[in-house]
Amino acid sequence: MKKRQTRIATEPDVDSELDDYLIAAAALCRTPIAALRFSTQNRSHIVVHSTSAHEDAPIRAWIDAFLTKCDAPHAIDDPSRHPSAHHDDATPDCHVPRFCAGCPLPGSDDNRPDILCVFDAASRPSDISEQETAGLAALARRIRHALDVRKAEKQRASREVDEARRLIASERAHRALLQHYQTQQDAGIAGGIGTFELDLQTERMSVSPQMCRLFGLPIRARYPLHAFVRLVVPDDLPLVWGAGEMRAGKGALQVIYRIRRANDGAERWLVRRGSFEGDEGRPRRMIGTIHDITKEREAADRLNALITIGDRLRDAFDRQSVTDIVTQGLGETLRVGRVGYARYDADQKHFTVERCWHPPTMPPFGESAIEADFPITIRFLSGGSMLTFDDVDSVSWLQGERDVYRRHGVRAGISIPFIEHGALSGILFIHNADPRQWLEREMSFVRAIADRLDIAMAGLKAHEQQQTINEEISHRLKNTLMLVQALAHQSLRNVADREAVKTFSSRLITLSSAHDILMKKNWQSSNLCMLAERVLGKLGFDTRRILLEGPDVQLGPNTTTALSMVLHELTTNAMKFGSLSKDSGQVRVVWHIDATSVPPTLHLRWKESGGPPVTPPAQTGTGSRVLKNGLGGGGGLRLNFEPDGVCAELWVPLDHAMKA
């Protein structure tokens, strides 16, 4: 009889013990096929022992179809009649067994149990016996025990592997740390990076030559810690050294701080990177590197200053604000003695200092000066070039002005000219009390700020010119309206109905008020509340009798004009016939935005109360036609003559109201 064992799916290596259990199960139940399905770590495995010629028997499908819900030993004597068989004459016999039995392994998932099962392609005359049931159950228990033992062995082996890997990784990390430290030592020599080793108990340091150079100290192999700590800027000292934290190994491993070098007092930015080492959990020393990042820090400060100054200049509203922003930003970023802006008058050969920033330790430049004090400087700047000198004493062609500069406390300086219509119009100057070597990156920064100052000044000048034009247009418009009013009075002097003439004049005044508001906003927009107050106030009554209530809404120029006329007509009618004709009468003007409508709509409601009884007019006049025209742009007006007071409701699409 042929014997073979087949492993299906992705089962792990299976030892002969499981094979023996399957042989025993097949022999016990007198079947040619025995199979075991079990799961490990969410993976399903099937092991098959078969003495059948049906090599392509779909064991996994048989188990899923007939024994998936197996929760106790049981058998199916003819699975071909089972509803899950789907067997017909065209289906090969090997695809549907004629007998199957199964027993779940203890501790299995009820929905998909680990199961020991047997199959036969031939029908059996009788069901599985009690002896066979007991035997399958005993084998299932032994298989579960074998699988549990194998699982425990794998877990133990996995832990041993993990521990071995951890030890290897720790050793590699230690070697990497030593290599990194050696690399830092080599890099310190080549790239100007200082290295140190600090004994946390004695507070003695072994330092590299570059470490000494960075702090401006004589080159020595060993120093006490306080020799370096005393050079730290006081504000940054808590970041660098806390004795208790350092000895406990809790100090910051990376710190950025400032020092003042011992040899020249120069302020430098340093970054310290280190690590603690020790034994039995107690740190004994700290090793690390020191790197000078002054250039990188200053570059970042200049970039931030450039962005900040640009943002602030966009919101500046006059020359004083512009020059304040620029001079203060330059002075604080470059850390110089004085920064100012002077306006130059070529005709008077005189320049006036509009703004001068300076720290408390340096006096201001003065409010004015004459060209005779700086003839060489003025001639040079008039050519449009930037003037820079590191030390006025060493510049031969400036010797004629050396005493003047020294009198103002200037040894080094930068001056940027501003040229308008081909002539010098202004000077941005930077002064330092001590000689200073101006770096190219600093001069590039100054040029960038000067460009922004020039743009801001040009914008202010253009705004001033536009304001002048607007004021002239407004003046001419008022004169035109006054001329129209005079012509109307002259033409209508013989009209008997003087009230109509008065109404016409009042409407002209309202139209003029609307134009005044728009002129102040450069014909861009107006505020609804301000418009209502201005129109109602022009009619000469106590505005406390009119309640205005609503959100802040900006109106376009056309809507401003139309709404001012509508409010004027409503107010005039209320003063003549409505609630404002009596001292007890009031008007409530309420508006809101309906965001739920499509498109969003501005609604305004005029409601009178406390006046005489209201009756609809017998005929309509010009005022009524103005009201009916409303705000236009898809809007409308509804006028209700309610007994207790007139009620007017206006609406207009919000987009039209704000832009038109």
Side-chain angles (χ1 to χ4, degrees):
M1 182 177 293
K2 181 180 177 182
K3 174 185 176 183
R4 67 181 176 87
Q5 178 171 305
T6 304
R7 296 177 184 177
I8 301 177
T10 57
E11 76 279 2
D13 292 338
V14 181
D15 54 22
S16 60
E17 184 178 5
L18 291 181
D19 194 20
D20 290 343
Y21 289 139
L22 294 179
I23 293 173
L28 175 66
C29 297
R30 304 180 307 283
T31 61
I33 300 174
L36 171 66
R37 183 187 68 188
F38 63 97
S39 300
T40 59
Q41 297 181 345
N42 298 324
R43 296 177 63 187
S44 179
H45 313 282
I46 294 181
V47 182
V48 179
H49 169 82
S50 174
T51 59
S52 171
H54 300 290
E55 296 184 0
D56 57 347
I59 304 301
R60 183 185 296 275
W62 290 356
I63 296 175
D64 290 341
F66 308 118
L67 299 173
T68 296
K69 300 298 184 178
C70 180
D71 56 0
H74 75 283
I76 301 176
D77 60 352
D78 191 354
S80 63
R81 299 179 180 178
H82 193 276
S84 300
H86 303 294
H87 179 68
D88 53 37
D89 294 339
T91 305
D93 290 342
C94 66
H95 287 176
V96 180
R98 298 297 178 173
F99 173 80
C100 66
C103 180
L105 273 60
S108 299
D109 185 354
D110 292 340
N111 293 323
R112 186 177 176 83
D114 296 343
I115 186 169
L116 171 65
C117 48
V118 294
F119 298 95
D120 197 340
S123 299
R124 293 176 57 130
S126 61
D127 198 357
I128 186 172
S129 66
E130 293 183 2
Q131 184 179 6
E132 291 170 335
T133 299
L136 284 178
L139 288 172
R141 290 192 295 272
R142 296 309 303 167
I143 291 173
R144 170 57 70 194
H145 176 72
L147 292 176
D148 289 344
V149 169
R150 185 177 185 84
K151 180 179 179 181
E153 290 176 349
K154 284 191 173 184
Q155 290 176 342
R156 181 172 61 255
S158 177
R159 288 194 298 269
E160 292 174 353
V161 171
D162 290 343
E163 179 65 18
R165 288 176 177 171
R166 188 189 66 79
L167 293 175
I168 293 173
S170 178
E171 179 64 22
R172 287 177 178 172
H174 181 67
R175 288 199 302 269
L177 180 63
L178 295 178
Q179 180 64 33
H180 180 61
Y181 179 65
Q182 184 60 45
T183 302
Q184 288 179 333
Q185 291 280 33
D186 297 339
I189 298 174
I193 300 176
T195 60
F196 69 89
E197 180 177 330
L198 169 63
D199 188 313
L200 297 175
Q201 303 304 317
T202 64
E203 296 187 1
R204 299 285 296 179
M205 298 181 70
S206 298
V207 297
S208 67
Q210 183 60 26
M211 175 85 168
C212 299
R213 296 188 188 99
L214 291 176
F215 283 82
L217 293 170
I219 296 177
R220 297 177 188 168
R222 294 181 64 80
Y223 267 99
L225 175 63
H226 69 81
F228 296 94
V229 172
R230 67 182 177 84
L231 300 176
V232 178
V233 173
D235 290 343
D236 295 349
L237 187 58
L239 300 173
V240 179
W241 178 251
E245 291 183 352
M246 297 291 282
R247 293 193 185 99
K250 297 181 180 179
L253 298 180
Q254 178 169 317
V255 178
I256 297 176
Y257 61 98
R258 294 166 294 167
I259 65 165
R260 296 194 183 278
R261 282 196 304 223
N263 56 351
D264 58 8
E267 183 175 289
R268 309 299 292 176
W269 282 93
L270 304 180
V271 56
R272 182 192 75 197
R273 297 181 178 91
S275 61
F276 293 101
E277 290 189 349
D279 50 20
E280 299 178 358
R282 298 180 60 186
R284 298 292 185 182
R285 61 186 178 276
M286 181 183 190
I287 61 174
T289 63
I290 299 289
H291 185 205
D292 189 328
I293 59 169
T294 303
K295 291 183 180 179
E296 294 84 349
R297 188 77 184 201
E298 290 178 348
D301 289 344
R302 288 192 296 271
L303 178 59
N304 291 334
L306 197 62
I307 295 172
T308 301
I309 291 173
D311 290 342
R312 294 182 62 192
L313 285 177
R314 280 195 291 271
D315 299 329
F317 53 88
D318 56 25
R319 290 176 63 92
Q320 170 111 27
S321 300
V322 168
T323 52
D324 280 348
I325 293 168
V326 169
T327 55
Q328 181 180 357
L330 277 173
E332 293 178 348
T333 304
L334 296 178
R335 299 181 183 179
V336 293
R338 183 189 297 134
V339 181
Y341 177 80
R343 186 177 66 255
Y344 180 70
D345 188 336
D347 295 332
Q348 300 294 326
K349 299 185 181 300
H350 178 275
F351 57 88
T352 303
V353 177
E354 292 189 349
R355 180 71 175 99
C356 183
W357 175 93
H358 61 92
T361 56
M362 192 163 184
F365 185 70
E367 294 184 359
S368 64
I370 59 176
E371 183 178 328
D373 291 337
F374 300 95
I376 302 173
T377 299
I378 296 300
R379 284 199 302 272
F380 184 90
L381 294 176
S382 296
S385 299
M386 180 172 69
L387 170 64
T388 63
F389 53 89
D390 299 337
D391 187 352
V392 69
D393 291 351
S394 62
V395 183
S396 59
W397 60 275
L398 277 178
Q399 291 306 302
E401 297 176 2
R402 183 189 63 179
D403 293 340
V404 179
Y405 276 111
R406 293 293 295 267
R407 188 166 61 247
H408 288 285
V410 182
R411 290 291 298 275
I414 299 177
S415 296
I416 304 286
F418 290 83
I419 306 298
E420 187 175 347
H421 303 302
L424 181 66
S425 62
I427 304 169
L428 176 65
F429 57 86
I430 301 171
H431 294 160
N432 205 55
D434 300 316
R436 173 166 174 168
Q437 183 179 3
W438 301 108
L439 303 176
E440 180 58 37
R441 54 180 175 270
E442 292 175 330
M443 290 188 288
S444 297
F445 172 68
V446 173
R447 292 190 192 96
I449 296 298
D451 289 342
R452 283 159 175 75
L453 174 60
D454 194 18
I455 293 171
M457 289 290 197
L460 290 175
K461 187 173 182 179
H463 179 73
E464 291 172 358
Q465 292 174 343
Q466 185 62 50
Q467 286 293 102
T468 302
I469 294 173
N470 287 345
E471 290 174 1
E472 180 63 22
I473 293 175
S474 178
H475 178 70
R476 291 175 181 244
L477 180 61
K478 285 184 177 181
N479 288 342
T480 300
L481 291 176
M482 291 177 62
L483 180 60
V484 171
Q485 188 176 28
L487 290 174
H489 278 285
Q490 181 67 22
S491 301
L492 303 175
R493 65 182 183 274
N494 295 325
V495 175
D497 186 2
R498 304 308 300 171
E499 189 63 29
V501 177
K502 182 179 179 181
T503 299
F504 177 75
S505 298
S506 179
R507 287 169 179 163
L508 285 179
I509 293 173
T510 299
L511 187 61
S512 176
S513 298
H515 286 178
D516 283 344
I517 295 174
L518 290 173
M519 278 293 181
K520 291 181 179 180
K521 298 290 185 177
N522 292 328
W523 285 88
Q524 297 297 317
S525 63
S526 67
N527 183 277
L528 195 157
C529 186
M530 182 177 67
L531 174 67
E533 291 176 349
R534 186 73 174 267
V535 171
L536 300 177
K538 285 287 185 179
L539 294 174
F541 67 92
D542 188 359
T543 56
R544 290 176 297 179
R545 295 171 60 189
I546 297 183
L547 175 64
L548 302 176
E549 181 179 342
D552 186 18
V553 179
Q554 296 297 319
L555 303 177
N558 292 338
T559 305
T560 297
T561 303
L563 183 59
S564 65
M565 297 305 297
V566 169
L567 291 176
H568 174 269
E569 294 302 324
L570 290 172
T571 306
T572 302
N573 290 336
M575 294 173 64
K576 291 181 179 180
F577 313 110
S579 61
L580 298 181
S581 64
K582 287 190 174 183
D583 294 339
S584 59
Q586 289 185 338
V587 174
R588 182 183 178 90
V589 183
V590 181
W591 63 90
H592 71 279
I593 297 173
D594 184 2
T596 61
S597 63
V598 180
T601 304
L602 171 65
H603 290 266
L604 184 144
R605 189 172 188 268
W606 168 288
K607 183 66 176 72
E608 300 179 18
S609 61
V614 175
T615 56
Q619 60 183 3
T620 59
T622 303
S624 298
R625 287 192 293 273
V626 171
L627 291 177
K628 288 182 179 180
N629 290 334
L631 303 181
L637 180 142
R638 183 184 302 111
L639 194 62
N640 297 321
F641 295 92
E642 300 175 0
D644 59 339
V646 173
C647 179
E649 295 182 1
L650 297 89
W651 62 91
V652 65
L654 182 62
D655 184 68
H656 175 84
M658 297 178 67
K659 296 181 179 180

